[in-house]
């Protein structure tokens, strides 16, 4: 489209053309005072629009590398200025390249963050599903002086009826008592291991340590 930047990569196409012509000047393909192209010839040579060719010539003219003669052509005026232009062009290329790499890295990071969020969501869902379908994941209950049921048995306090939790083990003085049964007593510093549904933990805590 006329008037729109034509680009290859990140550097505008017209600037690439200007750099290519400047490079040929520095390399000696063209000499100072030599007439090279008319703008129409540049467009045909590089297969670009006349507007892009005009912009390329304007860049060279702005750097005093060439002089544009009306109805004639483009005259080379300074090899030194061509060298200076190429030096800046190389720096511009480096900046564009670095910018492109940074943007690519940012985009990759965005995608990785999306993937991480997706995996975390799946993990949480699977953990919740696992807990809901596997009631045998044990919870811990530490017996302290704050419970009103200290030194009472499981049966005495109707533990199962009140909480729907099943005691599967007790840790007492470093020893594990498996399947203790309803006669097991809540002793100070005991750790009771029990299982139940997903609401079991809350019911046990509220039963064993009721708020006053």
């Amino acid at each position: 489209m006329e008037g729109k930047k034509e680009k290859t990569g990140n550097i505008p196409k017209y600037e690439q053309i200007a750099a290519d012509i400047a490079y040929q000047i520095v390399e000696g393909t063209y000499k100072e005072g030599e007439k090279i192209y008319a703008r129409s010839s540049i467009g045909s040579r590089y297969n670009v629009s006349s507007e892009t060719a005009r912009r390329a010539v304007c860049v060279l003219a702005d750097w005093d590398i060439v002089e544009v003669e009306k109805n004639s052509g483009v005259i080379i005026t300074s090899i030194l200025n061509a060298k200076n232009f190429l030096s800046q062009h190389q720096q511009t290329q480096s900046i564009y390249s670095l910018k492109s790499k940074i943007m690519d890295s940012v985009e990759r990071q965005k995608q990785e963050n999306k993937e991480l969020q997706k995996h975390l969501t799946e993990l949480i869902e699977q953990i919740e599903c696992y807990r809901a379908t596997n009631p045998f994941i044990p919870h811990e209950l530490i017996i302290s002086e704050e419970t009103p049921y200290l030194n009472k048995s499981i049966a005495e306090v109707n533990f199962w009826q009140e909480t729907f939790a099943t005691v599967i083990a007790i840790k007492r003085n470093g020893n594990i008592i498996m399947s203790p049964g309803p006669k097991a007593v809540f002793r100070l510093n005991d750790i009771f291991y029990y299982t139940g549904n997903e609401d079991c933990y809350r019911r046990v805590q509220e039963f064993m340590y009721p708020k006053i």
Side-chain angles (χ1 to χ4, degrees):
M1 181 183 294
E2 294 293 328
K4 183 178 180 181
K5 284 184 181 179
E6 298 177 52
K7 295 184 180 181
T8 302
N10 289 312
I11 304 293
K13 184 66 175 178
Y14 65 83
E15 189 169 329
Q16 294 181 47
I17 293 171
D20 184 66
I21 295 173
Y23 178 78
Q24 294 182 65
I25 293 171
V26 171
E27 287 295 297
T29 303
Y30 306 120
K31 309 295 183 182
E32 286 186 1
E34 183 179 347
K35 182 186 295 185
I36 47 175
Y37 310 112
R39 284 180 298 208
S40 58
S41 299
I42 292 174
S44 299
R45 182 180 179 89
Y46 290 96
N47 192 28
V48 295
S49 67
S50 58
E51 174 63 14
T52 299
R54 184 190 69 80
R55 289 188 179 190
V57 172
C58 285
V59 169
L60 295 172
D62 288 343
W63 276 82
D64 293 326
I65 298 169
V66 302
E67 182 178 308
V68 181
E69 294 186 350
K70 189 175 181 180
N71 299 324
S72 179
V74 178
I75 309 299
I76 299 168
T77 57
S78 175
I79 295 174
L80 178 61
N81 289 343
K83 290 179 180 179
N84 293 336
F85 168 69
L86 286 178
S87 177
Q88 188 198 62
H89 179 72
Q90 289 174 352
Q91 293 177 1
T92 301
Q93 281 185 310
S94 297
I95 292 171
Y96 271 116
S97 177
L98 182 58
K99 178 183 175 183
S100 179
K101 289 177 182 179
I102 291 172
M103 295 305 295
D104 288 345
S105 296
V106 169
E107 186 60 32
R108 283 197 303 272
Q109 188 175 38
K110 286 181 180 179
Q111 293 300 321
E112 289 171 358
N113 286 340
K114 287 181 181 179
E115 286 294 313
L116 177 59
Q117 184 64 40
K118 177 183 175 183
H119 294 327
L120 285 174
T121 300
E122 290 176 354
L123 176 61
I124 291 170
E125 289 175 350
Q126 289 184 23
I127 289 173
E128 291 177 347
C129 180
Y130 183 76
R131 285 192 176 276
T133 57
N134 293 270
F136 299 106
I137 299 175
H139 297 286
E140 293 183 5
L141 173 67
I142 300 174
I143 307 304
S144 71
E145 294 177 343
E146 297 177 0
T147 179
Y149 306 119
L150 191 63
N151 298 322
K152 294 182 181 292
S153 71
I154 293 174
E156 283 183 273
V157 302
N158 295 320
F159 183 79
W160 185 86
Q161 291 86 344
E162 295 292 338
T163 65
F164 299 105
T166 301
V167 177
I168 59 174
I170 300 172
K171 186 175 183 180
R172 179 176 294 161
N173 299 324
N175 298 315
I176 300 294
I177 303 170
M178 299 299 296
S179 303
K183 293 183 180 181
V185 175
F186 296 107
R187 303 291 188 193
L188 184 64
N189 297 324
D190 279 356
I191 300 177
F192 275 64
Y193 296 92
Y194 62 93
T195 62
N197 62 22
E198 58 184 9
D199 200 36
C200 177
Y201 179 80
R202 179 189 61 79
R203 289 197 304 269
V204 168
Q205 292 298 317
E206 290 179 356
F207 175 70
M208 293 299 294
Y209 296 100
K211 294 179 180 179
I212 301 175

